[in-house]
Amino acid sequence: MSERATSAPGRTEIGLDRLRPGFLWGVSVGAHQTEGGNLASDWWYRENQKNSGIAERCGDAVDSYHRYDEDLALTRSAGFTDYRFGIEWSRIEPADGFISLAEVDHYVGIVRTATSLGLRPMLTLNHFTLPLWFAAQGGWLSEGAEERFLRYIDAVAPIIAAGASSVMTINEPNVYAVLDRLNDAPGGLAGGLPEPDPRMTAALIHVHRAAVARLRANHPGLSVGWGVSTQDYRAAPGAEEQADRYAEPRDQVFLRASTGDDFVGVQTYTGGIVGIDGKPIIDPAARRTLNGWEFLPDSLGGAIRRVSRVVPDVPIIVTENGVAVSDDAARIEYTAEALTSMVGAIDDGADVRGYFHWSLLDNWEWGHWEPTFGLVAVDRRTFERSPKPSLAWLGALAAPGVTSRG
Ligand code: BGC
C-alpha cells in the first residue's frame, strides 16, 4: 500500500464502528461493462454500426466473462464480504424463447465461486442492455415486455438458487429511460439530467413490481429490490418546491415504486442545486471528475437523507458510489468523505444496510474508456489486473472479523 493510502482515514475516524453488525461491504460491477463479447445485445449492435455516435466500443471489455474468478479473489482478499454483479439477459436468452443452459451454468459458477470464497452475491438482472431481439420488439414498451422478463426470471432460477443473497431487478431505471440523451446533458447526472418519458417510467415500474412478485414466489426469503440513480438535489434558498418538482420525475417516482421491497439501492455520484427557475445551477469553476460530474463526495449523505424522507420504511443499500479520477489518492479522498456523510445520515436515523463501491475494475463507461472508476486498473491488451492502493484501503474498512459466512 502506498504511503498516501496508509495515512488515509480508517474505520474509527470515518465512524464505521457505529454501523450495525452484518453491514454489507462490497464492490459492484456491471455485466456488459466488464464481460466482453456480448454479441446478442442491443448495445453490441449499436456500438458496431457505422456512425453509431458511440465514441469507443466495448469489445472484449475487461474479459471478466473468463476472469471472474480472479475478480472475486481480488475482492475477497482485500476484505470485502459482498459482490454485486450482473447477469446478461442477451447471453442467457440470445434468441426469443431460447434459453442457453450453458450460460445459466456459467453464472451458477460465478455464484458458487463467490460463496465458496466467503462473498455474498447480489445479482443484477438487467443493467441497461437488452437482448437485441427484445429491443427489436420494442423493448420495455412492447406489449409482451412483462411476460418476456418473467420468463427470463424463471430461467435464471438456478443461478439465484445457487446462493444469491439478494437480487436487483433493473439497474437505474431512471437513467435507462434517458440514456440516449445523457451525453447531451450540460453537466450530466445532476447538472440537467433529462426528464424520463412518463410512458417509459410507467412501463419500468410495472415490470419491476411484477418481477419482485415473481422472484418472491420463486425464491421465498430472497431479498429483492432495484437500484435508483439518486443524486443529491438541493434547493437554492426559497426553491424547495422547485427542487422537489425537479426530483420527482427524475428519481422520486422510482424510489416510491420500491415501497414494500426488501431494499432500495441508492446509487449516488454527485449533486446539484436547483434554482428558483426550476433548473440546475451549473458552476463552471467547480472541481470535476473525468466524466465532467461535480466532485461532491458528501452527496452520498444528502441523497440518503432524501431517500429516507421519500420512502422512510424501505431499508437502503448503497449499491453504487464512486468517482472517475486518474489519481487514486483522489478516489480515497472522495470515498472517505462519502462514507463519512453516509454515517452522518445513519446517525440521523437513515436505515442503511450496506455499501457497495462502484467499481471493482476500470471498465467500459457506456461509450468511453477514459473515466476510470476502478479500485483495480486493467491492461486492456493483456487483461492483467493491477490493484490500486484504494482497493486495500477500502477493503480493510470492512468490520474486523466479519465474513459473509459469519
Ligand atoms: C451505472 C453504471 C455506470 C456508473 C458510472 C451508473 O449510472 O449504473 O453502469 O458505470 O453509473 O457512470
Side-chain angles (χ1 to χ4, degrees):
M1 209 195 275
S2 79
E3 223 175 280
R4 249 163 158 175
T6 316
S7 62
R11 274 188 70 76
T12 312
E13 282 151 286
I14 295 174
L16 297 174
D17 291 337
R18 301 206 287 283
L19 299 180
R20 58 159 71 204
F23 193 85
L24 313 181
W25 197 252
V27 293
S28 280
V29 293
H32 188 66
Q33 294 171 272
T34 58
E35 287 184 341
N38 283 330
L39 310 184
S41 79
D42 60 340
W43 268 84
W44 183 273
Y45 177 79
R46 284 168 55 190
E47 285 153 43
N48 290 290
Q49 292 298 298
K50 269 204 184 111
N51 309 320
S52 66
I54 295 172
E56 293 179 290
R57 287 185 278 200
C58 180
D60 284 328
V62 288
D63 197 30
S64 288
Y65 183 79
H66 299 108
R67 292 164 204 264
Y68 67 81
D69 46 355
E70 206 183 322
D71 298 343
L72 290 166
L74 277 170
T75 303
R76 186 66 191 114
S77 60
F80 295 98
T81 48
D82 293 82
Y83 187 77
R84 174 183 165 224
F85 74 102
I87 61 175
E88 176 63 28
W89 184 2
S90 69
R91 282 185 182 271
I92 290 167
E93 192 174 1
D96 190 354
F98 170 73
I99 300 296
S100 165
L101 297 179
E103 293 290 359
V104 170
D105 211 41
H106 168 81
Y107 291 111
V108 167
I110 303 185
V111 170
R112 290 213 178 117
T113 308
T115 53
S116 71
L117 288 169
L119 287 167
R120 284 175 288 229
M122 176 188 277
L123 300 189
T124 308
L125 300 183
N126 179 262
H127 194 137
F128 296 166
T129 51
L130 300 177
L132 185 57
W133 61 263
F134 180 63
Q137 288 175 5
W140 297 119
L141 294 177
S142 65
E143 224 175 84
E146 175 186 334
E147 191 194 316
R148 301 278 186 277
F149 197 56
L150 295 182
R151 185 174 66 184
Y152 163 60
I153 285 178
D154 292 344
V156 303
I159 307 173
I160 299 170
S165 56
S166 48
V167 170
M168 179 182 288
T169 59
I170 300 176
N171 175 76
E172 296 190 353
N174 52 334
V175 168
Y176 174 83
V178 299
L179 208 51
D180 288 342
R181 288 176 285 155
L182 199 56
N183 289 340
D184 305 329
L189 286 185
L193 190 69
E195 190 174 321
D197 171 353
R199 262 190 351 129
M200 183 60 85
T201 301
L204 291 167
I205 289 176
H206 175 78
V207 171
H208 170 64
R209 297 290 357 134
V212 171
R214 180 62 66 92
L215 285 161
R216 283 183 168 158
N218 289 358
H219 308 275
L222 181 73
S223 168
V224 187
W226 69 354
V228 181
S229 168
T230 314
Q231 311 315 314
D232 185 19
Y233 300 131
R234 283 160 291 142
E240 284 71 22
E241 252 175 56
Q242 287 86 331
D244 196 58
R245 269 207 298 277
Y246 183 83
E248 180 58 28
R250 288 174 174 81
D251 64 20
Q252 288 180 182
V253 63
F254 295 92
L255 293 168
R256 263 199 297 280
S258 66
T259 302
D261 291 355
D262 300 292
F263 69 91
V264 59
V266 165
Q267 313 203 156
T268 305
Y269 294 90
T270 187
I273 299 177
V274 178
I276 285 288
D277 62 359
K279 295 191 182 134
I281 299 170
I282 302 194
D283 173 3
R287 179 176 176 190
R288 291 189 181 271
T289 67
L290 287 175
N291 50 356
W293 301 345
E294 215 175 318
F295 187 97
L296 288 174
D298 67 358
S299 293
L300 181 58
I304 290 172
R305 286 170 212 270
R306 189 161 60 81
V307 174
S308 295
R309 285 197 297 274
V310 177
V311 275
D313 298 327
V314 185
I316 291 170
I317 300 178
V318 177
T319 40
E320 284 184 26
N321 172 250
V323 66
V325 284
S326 48
D327 175 9
D328 196 52
R331 185 179 333 283
I332 293 175
E333 176 199 345
Y334 176 97
T335 308
E337 281 181 43
L339 290 171
T340 305
S341 73
M342 175 187 81
V343 173
I346 294 173
D347 286 345
D348 288 348
D351 180 7
V352 182
R353 308 273 174 101
Y355 174 89
F356 289 71
H357 191 78
W358 183 274
S359 184
L360 176 67
L361 304 164
D362 286 345
N363 65 15
W364 186 71
E365 270 296 316
W366 306 108
H368 304 273
W369 283 98
E370 198 214 347
T372 41
F373 280 90
L375 302 168
V376 175
V378 183
D379 180 323
R380 287 194 30 238
R381 216 169 31 86
T382 62
F383 303 113
E384 192 190 336
R385 273 82 171 128
S386 304
K388 305 177 192 176
S390 52
L391 178 76
W393 168 72
L394 190 59
L397 297 183
V402 171
T403 68
S404 70
R405 293 183 186 122

